Amino acid sequence: MKVLVITSAFPARDGDPRGTFIDLLVRAIAEQGVEVIVLAPGAPGAAAAEVRRGVQVRRAQYWIDRWQTLAIGVSGIVPNLRRRPWLIVQLPILVATLTWHAVRLARGATLIHAHWVYPAGLAGLVAARVRGIPLVVTSHGGDLNLARRSRLLGWLVCWVGRSADLCIGVSHAMVDEFRRNGVPAERVHFLPLGVAPAEACEAGQGRLDPLRQEFVGQPGLRVVYVGGLIPQKSVITLLEAHAIAQERGGEMACLIVGAGPTEPSLRAFVRERRLRRVFFAGQQAPDTIRGWIRSSHVLVLPSLAEGRGLVLVEAMAEGLPVVASDIPGPRELALPGRTGFLFPPGDAAALADCLRRLADPSVRSRLGEGGRALVEEQGLTVDASARHHVAIYRALEAAPFRFREAEARRGRGAAP
């Protein structure tokens, strides 16, 4: 079996955080005996063709090398366009180049798996029809969330989603969103991503760097955020909660792991409010993230929109309680009283109340064990996710047009 994976986010080099969960998944799928070729947009300094940890990677060079900036960074294509509108000139070339490479690389492939509805799903749809093979499209949240506010993107989701042989949502909320856009229920599947087991992340941690050592030595509750510093992540809500805790006299240290365009304003807020014990770790290598999480007592995800929040699973696998915004996706993991707490999006006072409850070590211990149990119960490991993906691939290989035939029967008035 040969699978072409198309994605708009994939690490360009070691230490690049963008698309690391796709990298982890395709490697696990390859270990299941599947030949995987990854197609991703070009990136400054990235090789056009390479073998990355046993997986073939091809990059669609869509502009002058150093100016290929549309699909890089932690934000994604649409947010990049909002910040730098002139990048719109790169968009049609990126889509055309991805499509051309997809058609070429799909020769002899069993199926195409596109991660994100656009632009990967669009390129995959053309290539799948040219080659006469099935198309699987996975949404990780950002594409469907943005499509709610854009008529053009909404139309793309409808067209690509209805044309694909199978759509995968990484959360139940994404499954519902596909169905809301007209994709028949039998062609939408819930399949969450998984993380590496905690024991697999022990190696390579090495000595603690000075910043992490300082953080570990802080008194009181140690809180960590891991992710991009972009508006939709609403890290400012966490800092506002820290300010409330400080005013109440509570002991709390806050660690921000990540980088992005909102970092200057976040640092300015810390200075203006004279917040103590706030640490900015910057962008860290993906293989060290679990170590940073392990140095903390609780992980907070204050996002305004998410797919599911894979970092919540990483924290739960490490035995940390989790606190997240009460939004679709994260609420499937941050289960009040079992694995952590939820708070209304943007409500810093409510978040501060959640963190005050977690100052009690016995509460943290109970919720941390609940998180570990949920990871095990739901099989939220990358190996389990890879096995489920391969099972889907083999089902489509055996009967690649079974979903389309069922839909056609319904259209003729026959029972499915």
Side-chain angles (χ1 to χ4, degrees):
M1 173 180 285
K2 177 180 175 182
V3 175
L4 173 62
V5 172
I6 309 175
T7 173
S8 56
F10 200 75
R13 60 192 63 82
D14 289 342
D16 183 355
R18 185 152 168 76
T20 53
F21 54 94
I22 305 293
D23 185 18
L24 192 64
L25 176 63
V26 296
R27 281 189 277 130
I29 289 173
E31 289 172 0
Q32 298 286 322
V34 176
E35 180 184 355
V36 179
I37 301 177
V38 175
L39 173 62
E50 64 175 332
V51 177
R52 180 180 172 83
R53 299 177 183 177
V55 175
Q56 299 179 61
V57 180
R58 300 291 183 270
R59 294 192 176 272
Q61 306 296 313
Y62 62 93
W63 208 258
I64 298 172
D65 182 73
R66 62 180 179 175
W67 293 343
Q68 294 183 118
T69 55
L70 178 60
I72 67 171
V74 295
S75 300
I77 292 175
V78 174
N80 281 344
L81 285 172
R82 287 175 178 165
R83 289 201 312 275
R84 292 177 289 175
W86 64 267
L87 287 174
I88 191 67
V89 300
Q90 296 185 1
L91 184 58
I93 301 174
L94 169 62
V95 174
T97 307
L98 270 179
T99 303
W100 183 83
H101 281 279
V103 171
R104 182 175 59 86
L105 293 171
R107 183 182 294 114
T110 307
L111 59 82
I112 296 172
H113 189 169
H115 288 271
W116 289 279
V117 178
Y118 48 84
L122 186 59
L125 177 58
V126 174
R129 295 303 168 257
V130 169
R131 296 301 179 192
I133 56 178
L135 171 67
V136 178
V137 176
T138 292
S139 169
H140 298 279
D143 44 7
L144 296 185
N145 289 332
L146 286 169
R148 294 177 190 162
R149 304 190 296 271
S150 167
R151 183 173 298 179
L152 174 60
L153 296 181
W155 176 82
L156 274 176
V157 167
C158 289
W159 180 43
V160 175
R162 294 174 183 179
S163 302
D165 294 274
L166 185 67
C167 292
I168 293 174
V170 297
S171 69
H172 293 291
M174 294 300 102
V175 169
D176 292 341
E177 196 67 20
F178 269 124
R179 292 172 178 169
R180 192 183 71 80
N181 280 280
V183 181
E186 71 272 14
R187 285 202 278 122
V188 185
H189 191 79
F190 166 63
L191 180 50
L193 296 175
V195 300
E199 58 271 18
C201 302
E202 294 288 347
Q205 295 298 331
R207 292 182 57 190
L208 302 185
D209 62 45
L211 178 64
R212 193 167 145 205
Q213 280 184 326
E214 186 179 359
F215 177 67
V216 169
Q218 296 300 307
L221 185 67
R222 298 195 302 273
V223 178
V224 65
Y225 164 82
V226 178
L229 304 187
I230 55 178
Q232 77 177 48
K233 297 293 187 178
S234 194
V235 182
I236 189 63
T237 303
L238 173 56
L239 294 181
E240 289 170 348
H242 185 98
I244 293 171
Q246 184 171 295
E247 290 168 1
R248 292 173 175 172
E251 287 190 327
M252 188 173 90
C254 187
L255 174 67
I256 311 296
V257 181
T262 64
E263 183 173 347
S265 63
L266 296 173
R267 288 182 176 273
F269 181 85
V270 170
R271 290 192 301 269
E272 291 165 5
R273 298 295 294 271
R274 298 183 180 180
L275 300 185
R276 300 183 297 275
R277 298 198 292 275
V278 175
F279 301 83
F280 286 88
Q283 195 65 66
Q284 297 294 321
D287 60 358
T288 68
I289 292 300
R290 294 284 280 274
W292 289 92
I293 292 173
R294 198 177 296 127
S295 302
S296 309
H297 292 138
V298 56
L299 181 134
V300 173
L301 186 63
S303 302
L304 303 178
E306 278 288 343
R308 198 167 195 235
L310 192 60
V311 71
L312 296 173
V313 182
E314 291 184 296
M316 289 157 54
E318 295 294 340
L320 266 67
V322 293
V323 181
S325 301
D326 189 5
I327 57 175
R331 70 167 63 111
E332 298 175 15
L333 297 168
L335 308 180
R338 182 179 178 189
T339 66
F341 298 113
L342 292 167
F343 65 95
D347 190 335
L351 172 55
D353 289 340
C354 293
L355 295 175
R356 181 169 56 181
R357 295 172 69 181
L358 287 165
D360 184 341
S362 64
V363 174
R364 294 200 302 268
S365 177
R366 176 172 56 82
L367 296 176
E369 287 304 313
R372 276 202 181 102
L374 187 70
V375 171
E376 183 175 351
E377 173 189 310
Q378 296 189 2
L380 300 178
T381 66
V382 67
D383 288 338
S385 183
R387 287 194 296 272
H388 289 311
H389 276 84
V390 173
I392 287 172
Y393 296 164
R394 296 205 184 282
L396 284 171
E397 180 185 32
F401 300 110
R402 62 193 177 100
F403 298 110
R404 200 172 308 285
E405 289 169 354
E407 184 181 23
R409 285 198 299 272
R410 279 202 317 279
R412 293 193 298 266

